[in-house]
Amino acid sequence: MLKSIIENSENYQPGLSIDCVIFGFHDNQLKVLLIKVPHSETWSLPGGFIPIDQDIDTAAVTVLNERTGVEGVFLRQFSTFGKIKRNDNHFGKEVLKYLGIDPEKGKWLTRRFVTIGYYALVDFSKILPNPLNRNEIVEWIDHKEVPELILDHREILDKALDTLRVELNLMPIGYNLLPEKFTIPELQKLYETILDKKLDRRNFLRKITNIGILTKLDEKKSNVAHKAPNLYSFDKEKYDEVLKNGLYQGW
Amino acid sequence: MLKSIIENSENYQPGLSIDCVIFGFHDNQLKVLLIKVPHSETWSLPGGFIPIDQDIDTAAVTVLNERTGVEGVFLRQFSTFGKIKRNDNHFGKEVLKYLGIDPEKGKWLTRRFVTIGYYALVDFSKILPNPLNRNEIVEWIDHKEVPELILDHREILDKALDTLRVELNLMPIGYNLLPEKFTIPELQKLYETILDKKLDRRNFLRKITNIGILTKLDEKKSNVAHKAPNLYSFDKEKYDEVLKNGLYQGW
């Protein structure tokens, strides 16, 4: 696919790419979708280029869909990364040769690239990591055990995580990361995992209830030994309203 | 200058620009630095291109310095704008001809541009709007009375303002917008102007004091009829600490 892009590089915005940090929540871990670089121990964020006839936001949706197969998920631009040497020597002559790319055409790829970072929150249970070909390895990896990443992808991931932590104070998060029905302890665990700290149970319950986005269901969690906790779902209408207007009234 | 950039376009990142929303506070107004488009009733944000050998953040600092003559001010990237048609037909053949630019070389300028938005907070009193040539008109304009802007600059300005309002909840703001010594009512007025709403005097005093970034000076505001209010300054060390760690502890 990279080859076909380069051979038709006039159809893409030059020197500009997109990288997506895709977060999922599973087993009390905040996981990130990563792609293994062939014949290397390093990994990369899923990314892509920007078709000349697509808005950058649309191009980001395309990258996300390609990799996760889901549509309509939470996806936000968070920062653009443009240090001069960020992709220096990344695609050397050997790599182009390996990919079977004409060195003259390959120049498009070897020039300086600025990349726009997007982050996505997806429901882990609905997504099967999607390799673009059978040699590609795509995996969910705990954000605390991320292996070595190419280029400045570590910086991009860290910045996405910082943004997520800040935005937790500004808007409700959870709708996109949890299954439809969940318990308060599960929601609290999500917050604790993202913030990487323990929260007081009663304080959390009070704060999250005050937002007014939860619906208590007439159902209890099954498969639980005793004192089964209540199940909740998000009131999507109220959730969207809070998402739009912001959580924190502040000043 | 545009001409020289285009004639040396290989020295610049293609299809990528920078636009700066420069905010200043004066006469109880939040003002924006704008440039008049020659022979037109429209205005634009100060902007520029990205030298191939400069980080995008450095290029943004250059744009800001050129226009304001000040260094070391508060400058942050906030969003990248990349709708496909955003600069369609902006530089037509007539404009290139008017600028004396060879149409072949001018192609660099007429292609699709994605732009990275930065916003700056500057001390109004220290800045003299700086026209790059004597035909250029550069002015501080109240953000509530901004005239028609070119391209998507209105959208960029609105987004910068939204960001500023959100960030008011996350970090201290004022150091860059106020003179060294100020009164609490002046600081409150700054917050009210940015948020576009009245704040309760006592609540504001309590909240702003709790942050712990203010130093009460042994000085009163002069030229005030009676009950002269106390002067304050920011404790720069504490201010920077809060700026770094974030204001709102949240969850």
Side-chain angles (χ1 to χ4, degrees):
Chain A
M1 207 188 73
L2 186 57
K3 197 177 173 207
S4 117
I5 287 174
I6 290 162
E7 284 170 348
N8 300 286
S9 63
E10 69 280 7
N11 296 336
Y12 293 84
Q13 192 70 358
L16 198 59
S17 59
I18 279 177
D19 284 295
C20 283
V21 181
I22 305 174
F23 290 114
F25 186 65
H26 187 66
D27 269 351
N28 289 336
Q29 290 175 354
L30 184 69
K31 290 172 186 273
V32 187
L33 200 69
L34 295 174
I35 300 165
K36 191 160 180 300
V37 178
H39 312 292
S40 158
E41 290 307 304
T42 57
W43 295 68
S44 82
L45 296 169
F49 300 98
I50 300 159
I52 207 85
D53 59 354
Q54 272 186 19
D55 291 350
I56 56 172
D57 288 354
T58 312
V61 170
T62 307
V63 170
L64 185 66
N65 286 353
E66 254 174 23
R67 295 303 183 169
T68 63
V70 291
E71 298 197 21
V73 304
F74 180 100
L75 179 69
R76 283 203 188 206
Q77 192 201 110
F78 65 95
S79 191
T80 293
F81 300 83
K83 295 218 177 98
I84 23 172
K85 301 206 177 291
R86 58 175 298 278
N87 65 315
D88 248 17
N89 302 317
H90 182 59
F91 286 104
K93 275 184 191 160
E94 299 72 29
V95 180
L96 292 178
K97 199 174 163 191
Y98 170 80
L99 292 168
I101 292 168
D102 175 344
E104 192 51 39
K105 289 200 165 174
K107 275 186 184 166
W108 183 84
L109 191 62
T110 57
R111 69 169 304 147
R112 173 184 176 188
F113 268 81
V114 170
T115 197
I116 311 172
Y118 282 80
Y119 82 93
L121 305 179
V122 303
D123 181 351
F124 182 91
S125 67
K126 283 193 187 139
I127 282 155
L128 220 58
N130 184 28
L132 292 184
N133 60 60
R134 54 195 183 135
N135 295 318
E136 198 177 72
I137 298 170
V138 182
E139 268 179 35
W140 282 110
I141 297 180
D142 180 7
H143 81 285
K144 290 195 165 177
E145 305 197 337
V146 167
E148 195 188 333
L149 301 180
I150 61 164
L151 304 175
D152 53 357
H153 285 197
R154 179 79 233 185
E155 183 188 340
I156 298 174
L157 169 57
D158 287 344
K159 179 92 178 182
L161 203 52
D162 280 351
T163 307
L164 181 57
R165 283 178 183 145
V166 167
E167 300 206 330
L168 213 54
N169 292 320
L170 300 172
M171 60 190 192
I173 279 181
Y175 182 79
N176 311 274
L177 288 165
L178 291 175
E180 203 193 326
K181 298 171 185 182
F182 52 86
T183 65
I184 298 284
E186 281 165 352
L187 184 59
Q188 180 172 341
K189 195 69 207 175
L190 170 67
Y191 274 69
E192 290 181 338
T193 305
I194 293 174
L195 294 170
D196 196 20
K197 66 174 182 191
K198 276 268 169 210
L199 299 175
D200 177 73
R201 192 176 59 82
R202 269 190 258 180
N203 260 338
F204 180 79
L205 180 64
R206 181 177 51 79
K207 283 188 183 175
I208 204 81
T209 310
N210 280 349
I211 304 176
I213 50 173
L214 295 178
T215 307
K216 193 173 183 173
L217 302 174
D218 200 13
E219 239 178 292
K220 301 224 173 207
K221 179 102 175 167
S222 54
N223 303 323
V224 178
H226 58 143
K227 269 203 103 182
N230 246 101
L231 283 167
Y232 287 77
S233 70
F234 287 110
D235 180 330
K236 188 67 168 67
E237 205 171 302
K238 284 189 191 152
Y239 189 98
D240 286 343
E241 200 181 305
V242 177
L243 196 60
K244 191 165 154 261
N245 298 326
L247 190 58
Y248 181 54
Q249 297 305 317
W251 301 95
Chain B
M1 208 188 73
L2 186 58
K3 198 176 173 211
S4 119
I5 288 172
I6 290 161
E7 284 170 348
N8 300 285
S9 63
E10 69 280 6
N11 297 334
Y12 293 84
Q13 193 69 359
L16 198 60
S17 59
I18 280 177
D19 284 296
C20 284
V21 182
I22 305 174
F23 290 114
F25 185 65
H26 187 66
D27 270 350
N28 290 336
Q29 290 176 354
L30 185 68
K31 290 174 184 274
V32 187
L33 199 70
L34 295 174
I35 299 165
K36 191 160 183 298
V37 178
H39 312 291
S40 156
E41 290 307 304
T42 58
W43 295 68
S44 82
L45 295 169
F49 300 99
I50 300 160
I52 208 84
D53 59 355
Q54 272 186 18
D55 292 350
I56 55 173
D57 288 353
T58 312
V61 170
T62 308
V63 170
L64 185 66
N65 287 353
E66 253 175 25
R67 295 303 184 168
T68 63
V70 292
E71 297 197 24
V73 304
F74 181 99
L75 179 69
R76 286 206 187 204
Q77 192 201 111
F78 64 96
S79 191
T80 293
F81 300 82
K83 296 220 177 97
I84 24 173
K85 302 206 176 289
R86 60 176 296 279
N87 64 313
D88 249 17
N89 302 318
H90 181 58
F91 286 103
K93 275 184 194 161
E94 299 71 29
V95 180
L96 292 178
K97 200 174 161 193
Y98 170 79
L99 293 169
I101 292 168
D102 174 346
E104 193 50 39
K105 289 201 166 173
K107 274 187 185 166
W108 182 84
L109 192 62
T110 56
R111 69 169 303 146
R112 172 184 176 188
F113 268 81
V114 169
T115 197
I116 310 173
Y118 283 80
Y119 82 93
L121 305 179
V122 302
D123 180 349
F124 183 91
S125 67
K126 285 193 187 143
I127 283 156
L128 218 61
N130 183 29
L132 292 184
N133 59 61
R134 51 194 185 138
N135 294 318
E136 199 177 71
I137 298 169
V138 182
E139 267 179 35
W140 282 110
I141 297 179
D142 180 5
H143 82 286
K144 290 196 164 176
E145 304 198 338
V146 168
E148 194 188 336
L149 301 180
I150 59 164
L151 304 175
D152 53 357
H153 285 196
R154 181 79 233 186
E155 184 187 340
I156 297 174
L157 170 58
D158 287 344
K159 179 92 178 180
L161 204 52
D162 280 352
T163 306
L164 181 57
R165 283 177 183 145
V166 167
E167 301 206 330
L168 213 53
N169 292 320
L170 300 171
M171 60 191 193
I173 280 180
Y175 183 79
N176 311 275
L177 288 165
L178 290 175
E180 204 194 325
K181 299 171 185 181
F182 51 86
T183 65
I184 298 284
E186 280 165 353
L187 184 58
Q188 178 171 341
K189 195 68 207 175
L190 170 65
Y191 274 69
E192 290 181 339
T193 305
I194 293 174
L195 294 169
D196 197 19
K197 66 175 181 189
K198 276 269 170 208
L199 299 175
D200 178 72
R201 192 176 60 83
R202 268 191 258 180
N203 262 337
F204 180 80
L205 180 65
R206 182 176 51 78
K207 284 187 183 174
I208 204 82
T209 310
N210 281 348
I211 303 175
I213 50 172
L214 294 179
T215 307
K216 193 171 182 173
L217 303 174
D218 199 14
E219 241 177 288
K220 302 223 173 209
K221 178 102 176 170
S222 52
N223 302 324
V224 178
H226 58 140
K227 267 203 105 181
N230 247 100
L231 282 167
Y232 288 77
S233 69
F234 287 111
D235 178 331
K236 189 67 168 68
E237 204 171 302
K238 284 189 190 150
Y239 189 98
D240 285 343
E241 200 182 305
V242 177
L243 196 61
K244 193 166 154 260
N245 298 326
L247 191 60
Y248 181 54
Q249 297 306 315
W251 302 93

